[in-house]
Amino acid sequence: MSDDFFPVPEDWAKNALMDKAARAADYARSIDDADAYWLERAQRLDWITPPTRANESSFVEADFGVKWFADGVLNVSANCIDRHLATRGDQAAIIWEPDSPDAEPRRYSYAQVHEQVCRFANVLKAAGARKGDRITLYLPMIPEAAFALLACARIGAVHSVVFGGFSPEALAGRIIDCDSTLVVTADEGRRAGKAVPLKANVDAALKDCPSVKTVIVVQATGGAVTMAPGRDLWLHEEAAKLSPDCPPEPMNAEDPLFILYTSGSTGKPKGVLHTTGGYLLWASLTHELCFDYRPGDIYWCAADIGWVTGHSYIVYGPLANGATTLMYEGVPNYPTPARIWEVVDRHQVQTIFTAPTVLRALMKEGDEFVHATSRKSLRLLGTVGEPINPEAWRWYHSVVGEGRCPIIDTWWQTETGAAMIAPTPGATDLKPGSATLPMPGVVPQIVDSEGQVLDGATEGNLVIAQSWPGQMRTVWGDHDRFFQTYFTTFPGKYTTGDGARRDAEGYYWITGRVDDVINVSGHRMGTAEVESALVLHESVAEAAVVGFPHDIKGQGIYAYVTLNAHEEPTDELRKTLVKWVRTEIGPIATPDAIQFAPGLPKTRSGKIMRRILRKIAEGEVSAQALGDTSTLADPSVVDNLVANRQG
Ligand code: 6R9
């Protein structure tokens, strides 16, 4: 076995859901006989009215739109819960591992999840929520977060989950954008032994959100909160008064299921909209194929429910498949860097799915934390969120998995709903650092900057040539922005914003974003968002933000800040600005470096030359690295930037 090629192990090939030939045949059919293929695949879901039509999407302006299974009717929560009751009502649907290893884990069978979700749905209904209403969820990683998603789906309300690490300002912006009338939160969250004041953050956010009439509060820690009479209700008090049954609302396949805000290269975060039928099919099919899901498996996706990975691979995919999904409240290195592997042993987990940034951080702590645990239950190791460097891949494979477990590197995006390029264990030979091959129906292409399709082994912009069931349907409230953002750079194709290389065997290697989006610890961050936050500060005249390589986070945030006249560039102000950004957006947007810049490198037409700023942040300051600066309005600003580089 060479260091950069890992063939499918024999025992895996023997027992695979699909072997190599079957995977190739399945993929070919998904393209050549697409409608029949997808109508057949759609049968994995329970439909109230089965669809008779599959893909009716178009990426060209004249008849632009994304539409799948348009005459089908179903309910997502019935697919994730009710249909399993007869066969696995007593099986664990959700196992919850608390932040503290000394606290008791909780286990909910499918029957118990059914009751919890029905009561929750009835609470939402009693508060006036109806099909199509938007409900914002701002919750910690507790079982009630999964119940809340499913309760919304049950009544046909559209959930918008806002990550619990976002600030009140960021939360308010997302509530206002989708006009939510109802917010669900908890008294507090708990991470690494510290309380996160979620309810207090909601109170602060709601000062700017008159549309919100009701706040439902989950009692998670018992911490003190203020309840606004007439507005705030305790979930447990309301749920106890209502029926443990709630009929699922029949939904058209194209009715909205959820909105999830994500960062782009321009403007404020976009509300990515996913709908009911295609999304659920995509989440459930890819969960089965990527993770070789078998009944009885304990499966753990260690993401937060605030990100798309949490939606598709903690809740919808696994529960649609009748799996047991583990939810973890805390962080990977608390109280020690052995915690993840201890949780694996405690619950006898078969599959773990995490991010490269987590692996790099744990790797740095030394192998002894891994060796202190058994990990014998592990069968598969997944990764997502950013390119995995081959060193972390090999560590995951040899140290964590002791060479037994395939690494499933899944490339995808909030916009794609679930995995797009990923290995199928048992069918795909692995290469460290490559997400390998496309999932069924996915047609990746590599194009040059003019949009020419490049064949064979090559490198360029990654686009997807045709629709797949889990594709986003629109940007909430701005359909034109959806078209402009994703379908005009390379007309007729979906632009991913990622660069990629394809090798001679057709394997894809994602090289990272080609736009102004940076990836900090697997979290997407628009440089424009951080810039907008900085210029809101009274001392700041202008700001330009770029990413730079960071050992643990993948990319760090480097901000160039031009102060207003008469402002002193002090360390004090630098600290203030860091804190300012944390308050405006949230801790994930904390700048790693702030450089005061009397001037920014601009073209004569006023465009900031980010290429130069990126080079300086990376420490590449030779004339050769900086390239041609002659088109700058004032080339001398570059010397000042180089001289005052941070870090
Ligand atoms: C699922 C998720 C999407 C961006 C995407 C890309 C990066 C995600 C990756 C990966 C290389 C992988 N990305 N998975 N890059 N290899 N396996 O992360 O969604 O938060 O929308 O981020 O993340 O750059 O464009 P999202």
Side-chain angles (χ1 to χ4, degrees):
M1 196 153 59
S2 97
D3 196 27
D4 49 12
F5 184 74
F6 294 78
V8 174
E10 235 165 73
D11 54 327
W12 267 94
K14 261 204 314 269
N15 302 313
L17 289 178
M18 277 205 249
D19 64 10
K20 231 179 243 182
R23 189 198 210 255
D26 181 77
Y27 180 77
R29 191 166 165 247
S30 75
I31 309 294
D32 300 340
D33 190 14
D35 279 347
Y37 176 90
W38 285 114
L39 288 174
E40 208 174 288
R41 282 289 194 196
Q43 291 170 16
R44 68 185 291 114
L45 300 182
D46 261 16
W47 298 84
I48 299 164
T49 312
T52 63
R53 298 166 6 220
N55 183 11
E56 296 175 287
S57 312
S58 162
F59 289 177
V60 297
E61 191 160 17
D63 56 353
F64 175 68
V66 179
K67 203 155 89 170
W68 283 82
F69 309 119
D71 60 352
V73 178
L74 74 167
N75 180 280
V76 164
S77 106
N79 270 278
C80 290
I81 311 169
D82 305 41
R83 67 163 166 163
H84 306 309
L85 292 176
T87 49
R88 33 170 91 92
D90 295 331
Q91 181 204 303
I94 298 176
I95 296 174
W96 179 70
E97 167 74 15
D99 182 57
S100 162
D102 302 325
E104 269 309 298
R106 284 195 248 155
R107 175 191 177 280
Y108 293 88
S109 68
Y110 273 94
Q112 288 167 324
V113 170
H114 180 263
E115 175 175 345
Q116 295 283 341
V117 169
C118 285
R119 286 191 189 274
F120 207 139
N122 284 329
V123 171
L124 298 176
K125 275 206 220 163
R130 295 290 174 268
K131 178 172 176 172
D133 288 355
R134 274 80 56 210
I135 298 183
T136 296
L137 310 180
Y138 185 66
L139 286 161
M141 284 295 292
I142 52 177
E144 288 79 0
F147 304 155
L149 260 64
L150 294 162
C152 290
R154 196 159 190 92
I155 65 167
V158 183
H159 59 72
S160 163
V161 180
V162 177
F163 174 54
F166 278 125
S167 66
E169 283 75 8
L171 172 61
R174 285 155 172 80
I175 291 172
I176 292 165
D177 185 80
C178 69
D179 208 9
S180 282
T181 48
L182 213 154
V183 174
V184 180
T185 190
D187 45 7
E188 296 172 323
R190 214 182 331 238
R191 280 165 70 82
K194 289 201 215 59
V196 185
L198 295 174
K199 174 62 167 65
N201 285 352
V202 169
D203 293 340
L206 291 195
K207 295 202 176 92
D208 300 322
C209 305
S211 66
V212 175
K213 300 285 177 276
T214 311
V215 178
I216 293 168
V217 187
V218 181
Q219 194 168 49
T221 66
V225 292
T226 22
M227 298 290 279
R231 188 194 72 182
D232 301 350
L233 303 168
W234 287 109
L235 176 70
H236 61 279
E237 287 177 3
E238 301 309 307
K241 298 178 202 159
L242 297 167
S243 157
D245 210 2
C246 171
E249 185 76 29
M251 302 295 284
N252 182 273
E254 283 300 340
D255 281 337
L257 176 64
F258 68 82
I259 300 167
L260 186 56
Y261 286 87
T262 192
S263 297
S265 48
T266 54
K268 55 184 177 120
K270 293 182 282 282
V272 168
L273 183 85
H274 282 288
T275 56
T276 299
Y279 169 80
L280 189 65
L281 177 64
W282 197 236
S284 102
L285 177 64
T286 56
H287 170 259
E288 178 177 317
L289 294 182
C290 292
F291 301 116
D292 188 73
Y293 170 70
R294 308 289 171 112
D297 278 0
I298 312 280
Y299 156 93
W300 178 18
C301 168
D304 191 283
I305 213 141
W307 311 114
V308 71
T309 307
H311 286 55
S312 302
Y313 292 114
I314 296 177
V315 180
Y316 290 123
L319 294 183
N321 292 341
T324 299
T325 184
L326 192 143
M327 270 180 97
Y328 174 43
E329 184 180 33
V331 303
N333 58 358
Y334 176 81
T336 77
R339 182 68 190 277
I340 289 198
W341 323 121
E342 287 165 2
V343 174
V344 164
D345 285 352
R346 181 178 209 178
H347 299 289
Q348 292 295 295
V349 169
Q350 271 76 49
T351 301
I352 173 151
F353 189 23
T354 186
T357 185
V358 170
L359 299 173
R360 287 191 299 267
L362 296 178
M363 198 168 127
K364 188 186 80 181
E365 302 289 342
D367 297 357
E368 60 272 25
F369 292 103
V370 187
H371 292 151
T373 60
S374 151
R375 288 158 288 109
K376 282 286 174 279
S377 59
L378 282 177
R379 209 158 62 82
L380 272 177
L381 305 171
T383 139
V384 61
E386 47 175 330
I388 180 162
N389 44 313
E391 196 194 354
W393 195 103
R394 291 198 184 93
W395 183 79
Y396 203 19
H397 188 260
S398 67
V399 178
V400 175
E402 295 170 344
R404 279 180 290 118
C405 310
I407 306 290
I408 307 303
D409 176 5
T410 64
W411 173 83
W412 55 293
Q413 310 178 299
T414 306
E415 293 90 334
T416 72
M420 297 287 280
I421 300 181
T424 305
T428 316
D429 301 327
L430 304 176
K431 304 182 187 188
S434 171
T436 76
L437 301 169
M439 301 303 292
V442 174
V443 184
Q445 288 179 343
I446 294 186
V447 300
D448 67 14
S449 51
E450 265 74 63
Q452 278 301 323
V453 177
L454 305 174
D455 293 323
T458 189
E459 184 166 344
N461 301 287
L462 179 66
V463 300
I464 311 292
Q466 61 185 51
S467 186
W468 62 97
Q471 183 170 23
M472 72 181 280
R473 300 305 200 251
T474 192
V475 171
W476 179 260
D478 198 347
H479 198 53
D480 188 52
R481 188 171 174 202
F482 177 46
F483 181 72
Q484 296 298 335
T485 306
Y486 300 101
F487 302 93
T488 55
T489 319
F490 305 112
K493 300 176 198 284
Y494 168 77
T495 301
T496 65
D498 280 320
R501 184 161 71 74
R502 187 174 50 222
D503 69 18
E505 286 178 288
Y507 274 47
Y508 288 86
W509 303 71
I510 310 301
T511 51
R513 300 291 301 196
V514 293
D515 54 12
D516 289 325
V517 171
I518 52 184
N519 193 322
V520 184
S521 301
H523 303 318
R524 261 167 86 162
M525 187 55 51
T527 50
E529 267 171 85
V530 185
E531 289 163 7
S532 317
L534 282 165
V535 296
L536 278 178
H537 190 275
E538 55 180 13
S539 305
V540 175
E542 196 169 25
V545 168
V546 296
F548 70 101
H550 187 287
D551 282 352
I552 303 292
K553 299 183 186 180
Q555 280 188 300
I557 300 178
Y558 195 109
Y560 297 88
V561 171
T562 306
L563 296 175
N564 285 322
H566 314 301
E567 291 289 348
E568 279 300 311
T570 59
D571 275 344
E572 200 51 42
L573 181 55
R574 204 178 261 127
K575 280 186 203 132
T576 306
L577 292 178
V578 168
K579 215 169 132 212
W580 175 265
V581 174
R582 289 172 64 94
T583 326
E584 283 295 319
I585 304 176
I588 57 169
T590 308
D592 296 278
I594 290 189
Q595 173 170 355
F596 292 120
L600 294 170
K602 289 186 189 166
T603 61
R604 288 189 188 89
S605 63
K607 274 210 180 64
I608 296 176
M609 299 255 294
R610 287 168 183 282
R611 177 178 59 77
I612 294 175
L613 295 176
R614 273 188 219 114
K615 288 288 174 200
I616 297 172
E618 287 165 14
E620 297 202 27
V621 293
S622 67
Q624 195 196 358
L626 293 176
D628 184 12
T629 54
S630 64
T631 56
L632 291 178
D634 175 7
S636 74
V637 299
V638 175
D639 299 333
N640 176 290
L641 292 176
V642 169
N644 294 300
R645 206 182 87 77
Q646 297 290 299

